Amino acid sequence: MYVTQPSQLFDPPCSSPVSPKISNKTALRMRAGKHLFHEGDEASRLYQIKDGVLRLTRLTKDGRRQVIAFGFPGDIVGFPSKGRHHTDCETLTNTSVVSYSVSMLESGDRDLDTHRMLLQAALLEISAMQDHFLMLGRKSAAEKVASFLCVLEERIGIRIGQFIKFHLPMSRADIADFLGLTTETISRTLTQLRKSKVIAIKNVQTVIILKPDALIGLAESTN
Amino acid sequence: MYVTQPSQLFDPPCSSPVSPKISNKTALRMRAGKHLFHEGDEASRLYQIKDGVLRLTRLTKDGRRQVIAFGFPGDIVGFPSKGRHHTDCETLTNTSVVSYSVSMLESGDRDLDTHRMLLQAALLEISAMQDHFLMLGRKSAAEKVASFLCVLEERIGIRIGQFIKFHLPMSRADIADFLGLTTETISRTLTQLRKSKVIAIKNVQTVIILKPDALIGLAESTN
DNA sequence: CGGGTTCTTGACTATCTTCAACGAAAGTGG
DNA sequence: CCACTTTCGTTGAAGATAGTCAAGAACCCG
């Protein structure tokens, strides 16, 4: 999951970015807080998330962390680079994934549909990351947080009357490291959104979007 | 071209990220300041740069710009998303490129080597972009500029005695929009590097790295 | 040479970070 | 189940980094 432009969000009426039909292969189940792979691991398989949330991270030598992406159901993670994983990947919740051999992506001699699906996922990944650049490089803290909430709304929101509710599966620190901010700034920004009645925070991990349109507005301009 | 971690830069002793052998296909030549493609264009071809420099950009509705990447010789640009280009692509210098049909990437039934090469390029693109996230999200202005110069040094530097010289093909505004800064900050940071004798600026577009090791140090820590 | 653009520099400001304290929530062990 | 510890989130005050605005210098191009 990346923070993409609304244009891309609303363009096609499909909620999951890749093939709507999630494979019927047997799923691998994992508890929260486990590593699916580490940076540097040999990458033999790709993973499509059936259920749960993953976090992809990368570190600098001196310990600063960047959350590269969150993985939600439908997302595919683990694209290799020179045969190796380039990020750590950890489960934030109990998760089930189905896996594909990297050779399915690279040649896919047997199953052309799967080959095509994995390739399209890789290409979609590239364009989603391009949008995310725009967000990291050019948006204010308020815009970043609003954009982030908009994407979560799209991906995991549940309609409650005229509002939209979702559970934040990640910590404030995770959000901060994803958006290039600090936990304090995340916290303050959420408080502001709460005080201006755009969102409500039921408990620390449950957000209710009260004014979806206002949130979209905030995601785009500083005013 | 993205700003990647030194680990990745020095890992393999290959200067160009993809296949060293540049195709012998006939090249398309273009003058500086021309568009190779626009955002939204139908994407029928990928381009590998033989010579020159490209700039990939993306805009927000309200006119803020992000330079997604610069394309240097060896780089491949134009990966499509849902059959369309997702960025603008413009030549910064006179440029020659060779092109590949998108179908070479997607199926490649005829030429397996090319298919494999384009796919690996896409995968390398993903991991390079992941590194770039770390830079955009977590590095200071000084670290960003130093990192940027390090990459240029690697990609287009020319040994001059014990120093390394290169020509900046892009404007300060381009660098700013690439690193998520302003032109003023780029200018000030370059001035600082010049005053501390880490670099020299021969003319506005010609940089000489006087202390390559110091520059690498600055790229990694704020001190 | 002249006009326009780009780059640099300065002064000031805003945004976000840092540091610190406190409160809430969650995990641990008796 | 409750006290204890630890982690996580919120809030405030102060500070730093980068942005904004403005002016002048350098460069480019006809």
PDB file of all heavy atoms in Angstrom, chain A residues 164-190:
ATOM      1  N   ILE A 164     -17.345   6.400   7.985  1.00  0.00           N
ATOM      2  CA  ILE A 164     -16.530   5.256   7.601  1.00  0.00           C
ATOM      3  C   ILE A 164     -15.545   4.967   8.717  1.00  0.00           C
ATOM      4  O   ILE A 164     -14.840   5.869   9.172  1.00  0.00           O
ATOM      5  CB  ILE A 164     -15.791   5.528   6.282  1.00  0.00           C
ATOM      6  CG1 ILE A 164     -16.815   5.744   5.163  1.00  0.00           C
ATOM      7  CG2 ILE A 164     -14.885   4.362   5.930  1.00  0.00           C
ATOM      8  CD1 ILE A 164     -16.291   6.564   4.026  1.00  0.00           C
ATOM      9  N   LYS A 165     -15.522   3.738   9.137  1.00  0.00           N
ATOM     10  CA  LYS A 165     -14.695   3.353  10.282  1.00  0.00           C
ATOM     11  C   LYS A 165     -13.602   2.400   9.828  1.00  0.00           C
ATOM     12  O   LYS A 165     -13.799   1.621   8.903  1.00  0.00           O
ATOM     13  CB  LYS A 165     -15.573   2.660  11.322  1.00  0.00           C
ATOM     14  CG  LYS A 165     -14.858   2.287  12.614  1.00  0.00           C
ATOM     15  CD  LYS A 165     -15.806   1.648  13.606  1.00  0.00           C
ATOM     16  CE  LYS A 165     -15.951   0.162  13.328  1.00  0.00           C
ATOM     17  NZ  LYS A 165     -16.669  -0.557  14.419  1.00  0.00           N
ATOM     18  N   PHE A 166     -12.435   2.488  10.467  1.00  0.00           N
ATOM     19  CA  PHE A 166     -11.436   1.429  10.266  1.00  0.00           C
ATOM     20  C   PHE A 166     -10.510   1.329  11.461  1.00  0.00           C
ATOM     21  O   PHE A 166     -10.410   2.249  12.284  1.00  0.00           O
ATOM     22  CB  PHE A 166     -10.651   1.625   8.973  1.00  0.00           C
ATOM     23  CG  PHE A 166     -10.008   2.975   8.834  1.00  0.00           C
ATOM     24  CD1 PHE A 166      -8.780   3.231   9.399  1.00  0.00           C
ATOM     25  CD2 PHE A 166     -10.643   3.984   8.111  1.00  0.00           C
ATOM     26  CE1 PHE A 166      -8.188   4.475   9.257  1.00  0.00           C
ATOM     27  CE2 PHE A 166     -10.052   5.227   7.970  1.00  0.00           C
ATOM     28  CZ  PHE A 166      -8.824   5.479   8.545  1.00  0.00           C
ATOM     29  N   HIS A 167      -9.871   0.188  11.512  1.00  0.00           N
ATOM     30  CA  HIS A 167      -8.942  -0.127  12.588  1.00  0.00           C
ATOM     31  C   HIS A 167      -7.532   0.132  12.078  1.00  0.00           C
ATOM     32  O   HIS A 167      -7.170  -0.334  10.997  1.00  0.00           O
ATOM     33  CB  HIS A 167      -9.116  -1.600  12.979  1.00  0.00           C
ATOM     34  CG  HIS A 167      -8.182  -2.058  14.037  1.00  0.00           C
ATOM     35  ND1 HIS A 167      -8.448  -1.890  15.381  1.00  0.00           N
ATOM     36  CD2 HIS A 167      -6.977  -2.657  13.959  1.00  0.00           C
ATOM     37  CE1 HIS A 167      -7.449  -2.388  16.084  1.00  0.00           C
ATOM     38  NE2 HIS A 167      -6.541  -2.855  15.253  1.00  0.00           N
ATOM     39  N   LEU A 168      -6.753   0.898  12.839  1.00  0.00           N
ATOM     40  CA  LEU A 168      -5.363   1.147  12.464  1.00  0.00           C
ATOM     41  C   LEU A 168      -4.509  -0.021  12.929  1.00  0.00           C
ATOM     42  O   LEU A 168      -4.276  -0.169  14.132  1.00  0.00           O
ATOM     43  CB  LEU A 168      -4.840   2.419  13.148  1.00  0.00           C
ATOM     44  CG  LEU A 168      -5.235   3.783  12.591  1.00  0.00           C
ATOM     45  CD1 LEU A 168      -4.642   4.870  13.474  1.00  0.00           C
ATOM     46  CD2 LEU A 168      -4.754   3.927  11.166  1.00  0.00           C
ATOM     47  N   PRO A 169      -4.019  -0.815  12.020  1.00  0.00           N
ATOM     48  CA  PRO A 169      -3.260  -1.981  12.469  1.00  0.00           C
ATOM     49  C   PRO A 169      -1.819  -1.655  12.835  1.00  0.00           C
ATOM     50  O   PRO A 169      -1.120  -2.513  13.358  1.00  0.00           O
ATOM     51  CB  PRO A 169      -3.315  -2.913  11.259  1.00  0.00           C
ATOM     52  CG  PRO A 169      -3.535  -2.022  10.094  1.00  0.00           C
ATOM     53  CD  PRO A 169      -4.187  -0.773  10.573  1.00  0.00           C
ATOM     54  N   MET A 170      -1.390  -0.417  12.589  1.00  0.00           N
ATOM     55  CA  MET A 170       0.014  -0.067  12.835  1.00  0.00           C
ATOM     56  C   MET A 170       0.126   1.015  13.901  1.00  0.00           C
ATOM     57  O   MET A 170      -0.830   1.736  14.182  1.00  0.00           O
ATOM     58  CB  MET A 170       0.685   0.378  11.537  1.00  0.00           C
ATOM     59  CG  MET A 170       0.244   1.719  10.994  1.00  0.00           C
ATOM     60  SD  MET A 170      -1.444   1.759  10.345  1.00  0.00           S
ATOM     61  CE  MET A 170      -1.234   0.867   8.794  1.00  0.00           C
ATOM     62  N   SER A 171       1.295   1.109  14.507  1.00  0.00           N
ATOM     63  CA  SER A 171       1.542   2.094  15.562  1.00  0.00           C
ATOM     64  C   SER A 171       1.751   3.482  14.962  1.00  0.00           C
ATOM     65  O   SER A 171       1.957   3.635  13.766  1.00  0.00           O
ATOM     66  CB  SER A 171       2.784   1.708  16.348  1.00  0.00           C
ATOM     67  OG  SER A 171       3.932   1.854  15.537  1.00  0.00           O
ATOM     68  N   ARG A 172       1.718   4.487  15.821  1.00  0.00           N
ATOM     69  CA  ARG A 172       2.025   5.856  15.382  1.00  0.00           C
ATOM     70  C   ARG A 172       3.445   5.935  14.815  1.00  0.00           C
ATOM     71  O   ARG A 172       3.692   6.666  13.854  1.00  0.00           O
ATOM     72  CB  ARG A 172       1.885   6.827  16.552  1.00  0.00           C
ATOM     73  CG  ARG A 172       0.508   6.844  17.212  1.00  0.00           C
ATOM     74  CD  ARG A 172      -0.556   7.372  16.289  1.00  0.00           C
ATOM     75  NE  ARG A 172      -1.814   7.633  16.971  1.00  0.00           N
ATOM     76  CZ  ARG A 172      -2.845   6.807  17.021  1.00  0.00           C
ATOM     77  NH1 ARG A 172      -2.795   5.625  16.419  1.00  0.00           N
ATOM     78  NH2 ARG A 172      -3.954   7.153  17.663  1.00  0.00           N
ATOM     79  N   ALA A 173       4.343   5.182  15.411  1.00  0.00           N
ATOM     80  CA  ALA A 173       5.727   5.188  14.925  1.00  0.00           C
ATOM     81  C   ALA A 173       5.804   4.623  13.510  1.00  0.00           C
ATOM     82  O   ALA A 173       6.559   5.124  12.671  1.00  0.00           O
ATOM     83  CB  ALA A 173       6.620   4.381  15.871  1.00  0.00           C
ATOM     84  N   ASP A 174       5.014   3.593  13.251  1.00  0.00           N
ATOM     85  CA  ASP A 174       4.988   3.023  11.896  1.00  0.00           C
ATOM     86  C   ASP A 174       4.476   4.045  10.894  1.00  0.00           C
ATOM     87  O   ASP A 174       5.018   4.188   9.802  1.00  0.00           O
ATOM     88  CB  ASP A 174       4.085   1.784  11.861  1.00  0.00           C
ATOM     89  CG  ASP A 174       4.713   0.586  12.560  1.00  0.00           C
ATOM     90  OD1 ASP A 174       5.951   0.546  12.688  1.00  0.00           O
ATOM     91  OD2 ASP A 174       3.954  -0.305  12.980  1.00  0.00           O
ATOM     92  N   ILE A 175       3.400   4.742  11.273  1.00  0.00           N
ATOM     93  CA  ILE A 175       2.843   5.759  10.373  1.00  0.00           C
ATOM     94  C   ILE A 175       3.882   6.849  10.126  1.00  0.00           C
ATOM     95  O   ILE A 175       4.102   7.278   8.995  1.00  0.00           O
ATOM     96  CB  ILE A 175       1.555   6.362  10.963  1.00  0.00           C
ATOM     97  CG1 ILE A 175       0.499   5.275  11.171  1.00  0.00           C
ATOM     98  CG2 ILE A 175       1.012   7.464  10.053  1.00  0.00           C
ATOM     99  CD1 ILE A 175      -0.739   5.757  11.917  1.00  0.00           C
ATOM    100  N   ALA A 176       4.537   7.272  11.202  1.00  0.00           N
ATOM    101  CA  ALA A 176       5.560   8.317  11.092  1.00  0.00           C
ATOM    102  C   ALA A 176       6.671   7.880  10.135  1.00  0.00           C
ATOM    103  O   ALA A 176       7.059   8.630   9.239  1.00  0.00           O
ATOM    104  CB  ALA A 176       6.132   8.631  12.467  1.00  0.00           C
ATOM    105  N   ASP A 177       7.152   6.668  10.315  1.00  0.00           N
ATOM    106  CA  ASP A 177       8.251   6.199   9.478  1.00  0.00           C
ATOM    107  C   ASP A 177       7.794   5.941   8.047  1.00  0.00           C
ATOM    108  O   ASP A 177       8.602   5.859   7.134  1.00  0.00           O
ATOM    109  CB  ASP A 177       8.867   4.928  10.070  1.00  0.00           C
ATOM    110  CG  ASP A 177       9.693   5.224  11.320  1.00  0.00           C
ATOM    111  OD1 ASP A 177      10.023   6.409  11.543  1.00  0.00           O
ATOM    112  OD2 ASP A 177      10.002   4.293  12.076  1.00  0.00           O
ATOM    113  N   PHE A 178       6.511   5.783   7.863  1.00  0.00           N
ATOM    114  CA  PHE A 178       5.976   5.622   6.503  1.00  0.00           C
ATOM    115  C   PHE A 178       5.893   6.971   5.802  1.00  0.00           C
ATOM    116  O   PHE A 178       6.210   7.094   4.619  1.00  0.00           O
ATOM    117  CB  PHE A 178       4.584   4.981   6.593  1.00  0.00           C
ATOM    118  CG  PHE A 178       3.934   4.677   5.263  1.00  0.00           C
ATOM    119  CD1 PHE A 178       4.576   3.902   4.312  1.00  0.00           C
ATOM    120  CD2 PHE A 178       2.662   5.145   4.986  1.00  0.00           C
ATOM    121  CE1 PHE A 178       3.967   3.604   3.094  1.00  0.00           C
ATOM    122  CE2 PHE A 178       2.045   4.857   3.769  1.00  0.00           C
ATOM    123  CZ  PHE A 178       2.704   4.089   2.829  1.00  0.00           C
ATOM    124  N   LEU A 179       5.481   8.002   6.546  1.00  0.00           N
ATOM    125  CA  LEU A 179       5.234   9.314   5.940  1.00  0.00           C
ATOM    126  C   LEU A 179       6.430  10.256   6.036  1.00  0.00           C
ATOM    127  O   LEU A 179       6.373  11.385   5.550  1.00  0.00           O
ATOM    128  CB  LEU A 179       4.019   9.966   6.604  1.00  0.00           C
ATOM    129  CG  LEU A 179       2.697   9.193   6.512  1.00  0.00           C
ATOM    130  CD1 LEU A 179       1.595   9.933   7.246  1.00  0.00           C
ATOM    131  CD2 LEU A 179       2.305   8.962   5.056  1.00  0.00           C
ATOM    132  N   GLY A 180       7.495   9.798   6.667  1.00  0.00           N
ATOM    133  CA  GLY A 180       8.661  10.660   6.835  1.00  0.00           C
ATOM    134  C   GLY A 180       8.440  11.750   7.861  1.00  0.00           C
ATOM    135  O   GLY A 180       8.864  12.892   7.676  1.00  0.00           O
ATOM    136  N   LEU A 181       7.776  11.406   8.962  1.00  0.00           N
ATOM    137  CA  LEU A 181       7.497  12.366  10.027  1.00  0.00           C
ATOM    138  C   LEU A 181       7.884  11.741  11.364  1.00  0.00           C
ATOM    139  O   LEU A 181       8.510  10.683  11.384  1.00  0.00           O
ATOM    140  CB  LEU A 181       6.002  12.721  10.023  1.00  0.00           C
ATOM    141  CG  LEU A 181       5.456  13.363   8.739  1.00  0.00           C
ATOM    142  CD1 LEU A 181       3.939  13.392   8.738  1.00  0.00           C
ATOM    143  CD2 LEU A 181       6.013  14.775   8.589  1.00  0.00           C
ATOM    144  N   THR A 182       7.550  12.427  12.463  1.00  0.00           N
ATOM    145  CA  THR A 182       7.803  11.859  13.792  1.00  0.00           C
ATOM    146  C   THR A 182       6.475  11.433  14.419  1.00  0.00           C
ATOM    147  O   THR A 182       5.409  11.888  13.998  1.00  0.00           O
ATOM    148  CB  THR A 182       8.460  12.887  14.719  1.00  0.00           C
ATOM    149  OG1 THR A 182       7.590  14.010  14.846  1.00  0.00           O
ATOM    150  CG2 THR A 182       9.798  13.331  14.184  1.00  0.00           C
ATOM    151  N   THR A 183       6.551  10.595  15.430  1.00  0.00           N
ATOM    152  CA  THR A 183       5.329  10.152  16.112  1.00  0.00           C
ATOM    153  C   THR A 183       4.589  11.348  16.698  1.00  0.00           C
ATOM    154  O   THR A 183       3.364  11.399  16.665  1.00  0.00           O
ATOM    155  CB  THR A 183       5.640   9.173  17.249  1.00  0.00           C
ATOM    156  OG1 THR A 183       6.472   9.818  18.205  1.00  0.00           O
ATOM    157  CG2 THR A 183       6.346   7.940  16.732  1.00  0.00           C
ATOM    158  N   GLU A 184       5.341  12.310  17.215  1.00  0.00           N
ATOM    159  CA  GLU A 184       4.701  13.491  17.802  1.00  0.00           C
ATOM    160  C   GLU A 184       3.882  14.237  16.757  1.00  0.00           C
ATOM    161  O   GLU A 184       2.765  14.686  17.037  1.00  0.00           O
ATOM    162  CB  GLU A 184       5.757  14.435  18.388  1.00  0.00           C
ATOM    163  CG  GLU A 184       6.483  13.900  19.618  1.00  0.00           C
ATOM    164  CD  GLU A 184       7.771  13.213  19.258  1.00  0.00           C
ATOM    165  OE1 GLU A 184       7.867  12.670  18.127  1.00  0.00           O
ATOM    166  OE2 GLU A 184       8.703  13.199  20.095  1.00  0.00           O
ATOM    167  N   THR A 185       4.437  14.380  15.574  1.00  0.00           N
ATOM    168  CA  THR A 185       3.713  15.091  14.519  1.00  0.00           C
ATOM    169  C   THR A 185       2.458  14.323  14.096  1.00  0.00           C
ATOM    170  O   THR A 185       1.405  14.930  13.862  1.00  0.00           O
ATOM    171  CB  THR A 185       4.631  15.327  13.308  1.00  0.00           C
ATOM    172  OG1 THR A 185       5.744  16.114  13.735  1.00  0.00           O
ATOM    173  CG2 THR A 185       3.907  16.057  12.191  1.00  0.00           C
ATOM    174  N   ILE A 186       2.560  13.014  14.014  1.00  0.00           N
ATOM    175  CA  ILE A 186       1.380  12.195  13.701  1.00  0.00           C
ATOM    176  C   ILE A 186       0.307  12.447  14.752  1.00  0.00           C
ATOM    177  O   ILE A 186      -0.859  12.734  14.432  1.00  0.00           O
ATOM    178  CB  ILE A 186       1.736  10.694  13.673  1.00  0.00           C
ATOM    179  CG1 ILE A 186       2.822  10.392  12.654  1.00  0.00           C
ATOM    180  CG2 ILE A 186       0.474   9.861  13.400  1.00  0.00           C
ATOM    181  CD1 ILE A 186       2.459  10.696  11.242  1.00  0.00           C
ATOM    182  N   SER A 187       0.718  12.367  15.983  1.00  0.00           N
ATOM    183  CA  SER A 187      -0.218  12.513  17.088  1.00  0.00           C
ATOM    184  C   SER A 187      -0.884  13.887  17.053  1.00  0.00           C
ATOM    185  O   SER A 187      -2.110  14.004  17.156  1.00  0.00           O
ATOM    186  CB  SER A 187       0.547  12.321  18.394  1.00  0.00           C
ATOM    187  OG  SER A 187      -0.332  12.131  19.457  1.00  0.00           O
ATOM    188  N   ARG A 188      -0.098  14.912  16.917  1.00  0.00           N
ATOM    189  CA  ARG A 188      -0.638  16.272  16.861  1.00  0.00           C
ATOM    190  C   ARG A 188      -1.578  16.464  15.683  1.00  0.00           C
ATOM    191  O   ARG A 188      -2.632  17.100  15.804  1.00  0.00           O
ATOM    192  CB  ARG A 188       0.511  17.277  16.753  1.00  0.00           C
ATOM    193  CG  ARG A 188       1.150  17.624  18.066  1.00  0.00           C
ATOM    194  CD  ARG A 188       2.171  18.744  17.869  1.00  0.00           C
ATOM    195  NE  ARG A 188       3.518  18.241  18.017  1.00  0.00           N
ATOM    196  CZ  ARG A 188       4.177  18.212  19.150  1.00  0.00           C
ATOM    197  NH1 ARG A 188       3.615  18.635  20.268  1.00  0.00           N
ATOM    198  NH2 ARG A 188       5.409  17.751  19.215  1.00  0.00           N
ATOM    199  N   THR A 189      -1.207  15.922  14.551  1.00  0.00           N
ATOM    200  CA  THR A 189      -2.043  16.091  13.359  1.00  0.00           C
ATOM    201  C   THR A 189      -3.378  15.377  13.531  1.00  0.00           C
ATOM    202  O   THR A 189      -4.430  15.915  13.169  1.00  0.00           O
ATOM    203  CB  THR A 189      -1.305  15.574  12.114  1.00  0.00           C
ATOM    204  OG1 THR A 189      -0.016  16.178  12.055  1.00  0.00           O
ATOM    205  CG2 THR A 189      -2.079  15.902  10.852  1.00  0.00           C
ATOM    206  N   LEU A 190      -3.333  14.174  14.099  1.00  0.00           N
ATOM    207  CA  LEU A 190      -4.584  13.451  14.348  1.00  0.00           C
ATOM    208  C   LEU A 190      -5.454  14.230  15.331  1.00  0.00           C
ATOM    209  O   LEU A 190      -6.675  14.320  15.160  1.00  0.00           O
ATOM    210  CB  LEU A 190      -4.289  12.048  14.883  1.00  0.00           C
ATOM    211  CG  LEU A 190      -3.703  11.062  13.863  1.00  0.00           C
ATOM    212  CD1 LEU A 190      -3.339   9.744  14.539  1.00  0.00           C
ATOM    213  CD2 LEU A 190      -4.677  10.817  12.721  1.00  0.00           C
TER     214      LEU A 190
END
